[in-house]
Amino acid sequence: MNTLFILNDGPYGTERSYNALRLARQLGKMEGETVRVFLMGDAVACAKSGQKVPEGYYNAGDMVRMVGGEVGLCGTCMDARGMGIDQVVEGARRSTLKELAEWTAVADKVLVF
C-alpha cells in the first residue's frame, strides 16, 4: 500500500502535524507499506533544522527524520517563509507541486492534515 500524507499546519500550536508524523512513522514500519510525506504551507517548518524545544516536548524536526519514507517540502512555501534548503533536516528535500501531483496520482491513500 502506498500512502501519501499532506501536512499543512505548522509544527507547534496545533497537534495536526505532530499526529500526522506519528502515524506516518508507524505506518512506515509495517511490511508492504510505502509512506511519503509532503509538507506545504506552515508545515514546511516541521522540517526546519536546529529546532530547540523544552525538555520533554516533541521536536518536529526529529520526527520528520524518523518518518522512514520520502519527505518533500513545497518549494514555493519555503520561499514564502524565507527558508533555504540549508535549513532543512536530513532526509527531507525541496520539492514541487508537480511532484505532489505525481505522488497523489500513484497513491492508494491520501491523508490530509
Side-chain angles (χ1 to χ4, degrees):
M1 184 73 57
N2 184 349
T3 305
L4 170 62
F5 288 79
I6 302 173
L7 282 61
N8 291 283
D9 281 4
Y12 310 105
T14 72
E15 293 189 347
R16 284 188 190 114
S17 291
Y18 166 72
N19 286 319
L21 292 168
R22 289 176 54 217
L23 180 57
R25 181 174 182 222
Q26 197 63 40
L27 189 60
K29 292 178 181 180
M30 297 174 68
E31 190 173 328
E33 293 291 334
T34 300
V35 171
R36 287 180 169 152
V37 175
F38 194 88
L39 307 175
M40 51 190 330
D42 288 338
V44 297
C46 292
K48 187 168 183 338
S49 61
Q51 296 180 41
K52 305 269 190 261
V53 297
E55 188 174 333
Y57 202 72
Y58 69 90
N59 183 308
D62 291 343
M63 294 180 75
V64 167
R65 280 193 295 270
M66 294 186 288
V67 163
E70 288 185 83
V71 179
L73 282 70
C74 170
T76 303
C77 302
M78 288 175 66
D79 292 345
R81 288 153 182 82
M83 188 174 168
I85 194 64
D86 59 318
Q87 297 173 299
V88 175
V89 296
E90 185 179 334
R93 63 179 172 76
R94 185 181 178 99
S95 187
T96 63
L97 194 60
K98 180 180 185 286
E99 185 169 54
L100 174 58
E102 291 166 355
W103 286 3
T104 302
V106 299
D108 297 306
K109 295 178 185 175
V110 178
L111 303 174
V112 180
F113 286 81

